[in-house]
Amino acid sequence: MTEADRPSQPGRIEHQAQGVLCFSGDWTLPHYAMLRRQVERFTDRRSTDRDVVDLSRLGALDTAGAVLLVELIGTEQLAHLQTWAPKLPAERQALLCSVADAVAASSPLESGRALPVRDFLGATGQQVESLWQQQRLLLGFIGQVLVVLARLIWHPSRWRLTALVSQIHRTGLNALPIVALLTFLVGAVVAFLGTTVLRDFGATIYTVNLVAFAFLREFGVLLAAILLAGRTASAFTAQLGAMKANEELDAIRTLGLDPIELLVLPRVLAMIVTLPILTFVGMLSGMLGGAMVCSLALDISAFHFLSILQRDIPLEHLLVGISKAPLFAFLVGVIGCLEGFKVSGSAQSVGEHTTSSVVQSIFMVILLDALAALFFMEMGW
C-alpha cells in the first residue's frame, strides 16, 4: 500500500523515556485543530526543558503541520535538522527548514525577552527614519516645482492666469476677515500683558514699542502663516487627494498634461502673492488692537500712538517681517500639495494626509521663523 492509499492518522506527540519527544502520524491541515491543542500543552514545558526530538515515525506533512512543528521544536534546533534527523526524507527536511527560516525572518526577536528600552529605541529609530524619508521626499518635490516654474518663466503662453486668480481669491480674499480678527485680538492680549508687566516699572509707555516690535517682526507673519497652514494647506491636500482617489490625476497625465504645472504651481504662486498681503493686514490689525488697549487702559491717544511708532520704530522691522512671508507661503503650499499627491485612494488616507499637511506646515513655519530670528539677530537687523 502506498502512502497516498494509506488511511490518514492524526499526528501525536509522545514524551518517552530519557527526554525523547516523539512525533508520529500525519501533521496536515485536516488535523490542525487537534494538533494545535497538543502543541499548546507541550509548549510551556518545552520552554524550560530541551528534549531530544524523534521524527522517524512522522507521517504526512504539509505547511500547516510544519508551522506547528517549528513552533514547538524551535527555529534554533531546526537549523541543525540534517545533523540530528538525517533519515528524514529530503523533501520534509526542506519544508521544515523553509518554514523555520520564514518564521525566524518574520519574528527575529520572538524568542528574546521583551525590553522596554530596546522597544523604545526601536520605535525612535523608526520615527527618525520616517522623518528623514519624508524630508527627502519634500526636497525632491520642491526641486520638481522649481524646475517646472523655471521652465514656464520663458513661456508666458502656458501661464494659467485664470487658475492663479481663482486661487488668490480663495486663499487671500476669503482669509482676510479671520486673519484680521485673530491678529486684532492677539494684539489686544499682547498690549494687556505689556501693560500689566511694565506698570510695575513705571514704563507703561513702552507698551506701544512692545506691540509694534512683536507684530512687525514676528506675530504678523507667524499668525498669518499658521492660519494659512491650517486653512489652505489642508484644503490643498483634500482637493488633490480627492482627485487622486477619483483617478483624475491619472486622467490628467493620460492627456499629456503635467499635474505640477496644472495644479501645483497656481496654488503655490497664489500663496506667495497672498501671504505678504495677509501679513501686512495682520500687522495693521495687531497694532490696532494694541492701540485700542493703550487708549482704554493707558490714556494713550491714537495720535500719540502713531507718533511713537513714527519716532521709535524703524522701517526695517516691517521689511524683516514681510521678507519671511514668501518663504513661508512657498513651503506651506508645497507641503499641502505634496500630501495630496501622497493620498493612497481611500477616505481614511485623505484624512490622515490632511492632518499631516497641517502639522508639517505649522512645524516648518515655526522652525524657520526661529532660525530667521536668530539670523536677523546675529546680523543686527
Side-chain angles (χ1 to χ4, degrees), residues 1 34 91 107 145 159 186 191 217 252 258 269 272 325 347:
M1 180 182 296
M34 184 179 63
E91 64 273 8
S107 55
V145 173
W159 296 353
V186 173
R217 296 186 67 95
I252 290 174
D258 186 1
L269 293 178
I272 295 176

Side-chain angles (χ1 to χ4, degrees), residues 298-319:
L298 302 177
D299 293 331
I300 299 177
S301 64
F303 177 78
H304 193 188
F305 189 95
L306 291 175
S307 64
I308 294 175
L309 288 180
Q310 184 179 5
R311 183 190 64 199
D312 298 338
I313 309 301
L315 181 62
E316 66 181 26
H317 299 303
L318 172 66
L319 300 179

